[in-house]
Amino acid sequence: MASAHDRAVLQAIFNPTTPFGDVPALNQEEELIDDDRGFDMELLKQVRELEMRGVSAAEAGELQAALQLFSQAVHILPQRASAYNNRAQALRLLGDTAGALQDLDQAISLSGGTGRSACQALVQRGLLRRLACQNDEARADFEKAAALGSEFARQQAVLLNPYAALCNKMLSEVINNLRNPKMPDME
C-alpha cells in the first residue's frame, strides 16, 4: 500500500495544477455527520421527514412547497443547522440571495463550524460570495470547508488563491518542459 507521501508525489505528477500533497480524501477518514444527539428523538424524526419531503419537492421543481417544508422544520427545531442549510438552497433557487445568506450564516453558527451541515453551508456561502465578487470572503469559506474534507471547496480555494495559482502555473510549466524538452535551434 502506498504511503501518504507516495500518493502526494503521484498526485503532483499526474495533476500538476494542484498543490503538492493535496490528495483527495487524504485527511478525511470518515464521512461527516451532524451531531443530533441533543435533540428530542421524536421531533428529530419529524424534522428529518419534513426535510426529505422538502428535498423531493425541490427536485420536482416545487420550490415554494420545499421552502414551506424547510421552514416548518426550522420552526420545530430552530437550533438544528440542517434545515437552515436546506432552506438556504431553496431561497437561492428562488432568487432570494440575501435570505439564503442569512440562513447559511445561521447554519454555520448553529453547527459550530463542524459536521456535514457546516461543510455544505460554507460551500454554498462561498459560491454566493464568489458570484458577488467577494473573493477574499469566498476563499475563506472554501478553506474552512476544505478543512472539513470538501474536495470541491479545496479546488475552489486554490483557484481563488493568487499565490497558489502562480506556483501551480510555474510547476506546470516546469513539468511540461521536462516532458517536452525544447531542442536548441541548429542553424
Side-chain angles (χ1 to χ4, degrees), residues 3-150:
S3 70
H5 183 265
D6 293 340
R7 290 191 304 266
V9 169
L10 290 172
Q11 177 75 2
I13 291 169
F14 293 114
N15 296 304
T17 58
T18 60
F20 182 75
D22 191 15
V23 181
L26 178 63
N27 297 324
Q28 186 178 355
E29 295 179 10
E30 56 189 57
E31 184 179 339
L32 286 175
I33 57 169
D34 290 330
D35 185 6
D36 288 335
R37 289 179 291 179
F39 300 112
D40 176 271
M41 293 309 285
E42 192 57 41
L43 292 178
L44 185 59
K45 181 179 175 184
Q46 188 179 356
V47 164
R48 285 181 175 161
E49 175 63 27
L50 286 167
E51 286 185 76
M52 287 191 315
R53 289 177 40 211
V55 169
S56 294
E59 289 173 346
E62 300 167 3
L63 296 176
Q64 287 296 337
L67 185 61
Q68 288 176 344
L69 291 164
F70 295 139
S71 292
Q72 285 178 341
V74 165
H75 181 73
I76 292 169
L77 283 178
Q79 297 303 313
R80 187 167 182 267
S82 179
Y84 288 97
N85 193 36
N86 286 321
R87 187 170 71 177
Q89 184 76 307
L91 288 167
R92 184 190 62 79
L93 291 170
L94 287 167
D96 183 0
T97 303
L101 284 169
Q102 217 172 5
D103 272 2
L104 293 171
D105 290 342
Q106 186 68 8
I108 293 164
S109 175
L110 290 172
S111 68
T114 63
R116 173 182 287 159
S117 291
C119 188
Q120 291 173 342
L122 285 162
V123 169
Q124 283 190 74
R125 190 172 73 177
L127 289 170
L128 289 175
R129 287 177 165 177
R130 189 162 187 204
L131 287 172
C133 297
Q134 298 171 341
N135 289 338
D136 290 339
E137 294 88 348
R139 184 175 63 242
D141 282 344
F142 289 137
E143 287 171 352
K144 289 174 188 170
L148 293 173
S150 171

